[in-house]
Amino acid sequence: NAGVTQTPKFQVLKTGQSMTLQCAQDMNHEYMSWYRQDPGMGLRLIHYSVGAGITDQGEVPNGYNVSRSTTEDFPLRLLSAAPSQTSVYFCASSSGGGSGGNTIYFGEGSWLTVV
Amino acid sequence: AQSVAQPEDQVNVAEGNPLTVKCTYSVSGNPYLFWYVQYPNRGLQFLLKYITGDNLVKGSYGFEAEFNKSQTSFHLKKPSALVSDSALYFCAVRAPGGSQGNLIFGKGTKLSVKP
């Protein structure tokens, strides 16, 4: 069971560079999200998607872009990397329907350092 | 606004002793509550959730949590701690009507279990 797969695991970027963090899930989940984790701040929502072709902003969307062309994939793009974007990034997915108590499943994380 | 508080940055327990990791929440309506665990350099693993029904919820690895509506709490407990339980624990909440893809996280509590 692959679940939620993120690549790369580790990346070092120079300020101003752009890159894409890849995320794929094989559970046919409707909902996908990107979070960033910073020390002492828990996880904060960057962007999310409720289905192919539909995305929306979360709590900290500035400097990031997303698209959802397929159910399986939800890439996160850093447009012009800044040191403040040094963080651990987690992709997550969950199924739709039900009362809203569906479990969210997380990938293994992508450690990004911007120098 | 929805929020989650984990009042302890760190909890220290001796192996074999019971452990409690505290969580309080603030949402309108009946919440959906979750606990996740994160081991070093890994993603978040789902432990348990409260949706409705019995206030005592049992989860993975012998953990359980008690939902207390009057105290707006959802404390994580285990009767006998193991050294291998040492990790970072996150409480999270989703409000009724909130997107099923998104959770509000606490800042995390580091659990340290000593032999």
Side-chain angles (χ1 to χ4, degrees):
Chain A
N1 292 336
V4 180
T5 303
Q6 292 181 233
T7 56
K9 179 109 176 168
F10 300 98
Q11 183 71 49
V12 178
L13 281 180
K14 294 183 178 179
T15 297
Q17 286 185 320
S18 63
M19 78 158 297
T20 299
L21 299 177
Q22 302 291 345
C23 176
Q25 52 91 9
D26 62 359
M27 298 174 281
N28 201 32
H29 284 169
E30 295 178 27
Y31 294 85
M32 296 187 74
S33 311
W34 277 102
Y35 293 83
R36 60 177 288 173
Q37 181 184 21
D38 301 294
M41 302 188 72
L43 278 76
R44 293 180 293 168
L45 182 66
I46 304 171
H47 284 285
Y48 65 98
S49 169
V50 300
I54 306 170
T55 64
D56 206 346
Q57 297 181 353
E59 180 184 356
V60 289
N62 292 340
Y64 307 95
N65 198 7
V66 292
S67 60
R68 183 100 179 267
S69 57
T70 67
T71 300
E72 295 77 19
D73 300 301
F74 191 46
L76 178 71
R77 298 181 185 85
L78 280 70
L79 308 174
S80 178
S84 61
Q85 294 179 303
T86 293
S87 187
V88 184
Y89 292 86
F90 289 100
C91 181
S93 75
S94 71
S95 60
S99 61
N102 297 333
T103 301
I104 292 183
Y105 296 93
F106 286 82
E108 287 291 295
S110 295
W111 274 253
L112 177 66
T113 301
V114 183
V115 297
Chain B
Q2 307 164 41
S3 66
V4 176
Q6 294 181 243
E8 302 155 317
D9 291 336
Q10 181 157 345
V11 170
N12 299 313
V13 177
E15 188 175 31
N17 284 0
L19 70 87
T20 299
V21 182
K22 296 180 180 178
C23 172
T24 59
Y25 65 90
S26 175
V27 297
S28 299
N30 295 320
Y32 303 115
L33 294 156
F34 301 79
W35 275 103
Y36 286 84
V37 60
Q38 183 183 30
Y39 297 100
N41 299 321
R42 302 296 300 276
L44 277 71
Q45 296 180 27
F46 170 74
L47 278 179
L48 50 81
K49 64 183 178 183
Y50 172 81
I51 305 302
T52 187
D54 193 348
N55 290 340
L56 184 64
V57 179
K58 294 188 182 297
S60 305
Y61 313 121
F63 284 93
E64 58 188 27
E66 186 168 11
F67 172 65
N68 188 317
K69 188 172 183 177
S70 63
Q71 298 186 5
T72 61
S73 67
F74 189 55
H75 301 331
L76 182 70
K77 300 181 180 183
K78 187 174 182 180
S80 179
L82 300 172
V83 173
S84 57
D85 292 329
S86 298
L88 188 58
Y89 290 80
F90 289 99
C91 181
V93 66
R94 179 192 292 132
S99 172
Q100 294 195 41
N102 308 333
L103 294 174
I104 305 297
F105 282 87
K107 295 183 178 181
T109 298
K110 183 179 180 181
L111 174 66
S112 178
V113 182
K114 300 295 185 183

